Amino acid sequence: MSTADSPRPPVLEKTGASAARTGAHAAAPLPDPDARPVARAGRFWSARRVPATILALVLTGASGLFLYDVVAVRAGHSAMSWRKELARGLADHRLDDTWVLVGAGVAAALGLWLLLLALTPGRRRLLPMRRPYEGVRGALHRQAAAMVVRDRATQVSGIRSAHVTVRRYKVKVRALAHFRDLDQVRAELSQTLGSTLTELGLARTPRLVVRVRRPGKD
């Protein structure tokens, strides 16, 4: 597959000392891509820059505002009106008050969201590839994988068009066949696309689901 065939090329990443040794080993023979992977191909983790930035700005602003008010009170000035109202409201409202429960629910939901972001890798559009090269990680974008599978599907005799959905563990293909027996087309399409998924070099070859029908029929 050439780079021009894919809107998003595979993602390559060098890690650790291998990046520093690139120049020293430039003339060394490359390992066999079909060999057993040298390391486990884990998922790519998102940096979560946007949630982290928003959380940092909110906490910094709130902490700075509270610190300013406390320092002002220690210096002999009156506390801000919003803090007086907040203290009065917390003293007057019981724990079973509706607004207290709503606020606690919102805070709990935000906390669970932050925990989910911290414990999940994200970047679900990247499919990890096998690692035959030490210190190099690669990933293939789902859209690029779907384009390759769709192009191979339309090359099968009898296929008019194909719609491909690529997931982490499953590739679903819905094709329209305008001639030839459907069972023959389905068998050839399954064989062709099975080889195609293997050739993509993914760390985990997804399960292939093929559905073939005539145009205008469910």
Side-chain angles (χ1 to χ4, degrees):
M1 177 186 67
S2 63
T3 305
D5 295 333
S6 172
R8 295 176 182 267
V11 178
L12 295 179
E13 178 181 283
K14 289 191 176 182
T15 60
S18 63
R21 296 195 303 263
T22 301
H25 295 273
L30 296 177
D32 184 6
D34 297 328
R36 186 177 180 180
V38 298
R40 179 179 176 271
R43 293 180 60 187
F44 284 72
W45 282 73
S46 173
R48 311 288 191 187
R49 292 185 178 89
V50 175
T53 301
I54 294 176
L55 179 62
L57 291 177
V58 170
L59 293 180
T60 301
S63 301
L65 190 61
F66 272 102
L67 181 61
Y68 173 81
D69 193 46
V70 170
V71 171
V73 171
R74 293 294 183 181
H77 300 281
S78 176
M80 292 184 178
S81 58
W82 64 267
R83 195 158 73 93
K84 294 180 180 179
E85 293 294 332
L86 179 62
R88 188 180 300 109
L90 292 176
D92 296 340
H93 289 79
R94 299 175 56 183
L95 294 179
D96 58 351
D97 186 82
T98 302
W99 288 108
V100 174
L101 294 177
V102 170
V106 172
L110 289 176
L112 290 176
W113 177 62
L114 293 174
L115 285 176
L116 181 64
L117 292 179
L119 298 177
T120 54
R123 305 188 73 175
R124 299 178 59 86
R125 296 181 181 274
L126 295 180
L127 301 175
M129 303 180 70
R130 298 173 70 250
R131 298 185 61 183
Y133 306 100
E134 183 179 0
V136 180
R137 300 179 62 207
L140 185 64
H141 199 277
R142 288 187 184 181
Q143 186 178 357
M147 176 175 290
V148 174
V149 175
R150 184 174 63 250
D151 290 344
R152 291 290 183 87
T154 54
Q155 293 175 7
V156 174
S157 178
I159 296 297
R160 178 179 178 180
S161 62
H163 177 77
V164 180
T165 303
V166 177
R167 304 295 183 190
R168 283 187 62 195
Y169 303 113
K170 182 172 68 174
V171 173
K172 186 176 181 179
V173 180
R174 292 177 293 175
L176 297 179
H178 55 94
F179 68 91
R180 292 183 65 191
D181 181 72
L182 289 183
D183 292 335
Q184 295 180 358
V185 175
R186 186 181 298 107
E188 183 177 348
L189 185 62
S190 299
Q191 181 179 3
T192 301
L193 297 186
S195 301
T196 300
L197 294 179
T198 303
E199 294 171 0
L200 290 179
L202 299 178
R204 182 190 180 107
T205 302
R207 182 169 60 91
L208 178 63
V209 178
V210 177
R211 181 185 178 188
V212 182
R213 64 182 179 89
R214 298 295 185 189
K217 296 182 180 181
D218 295 330

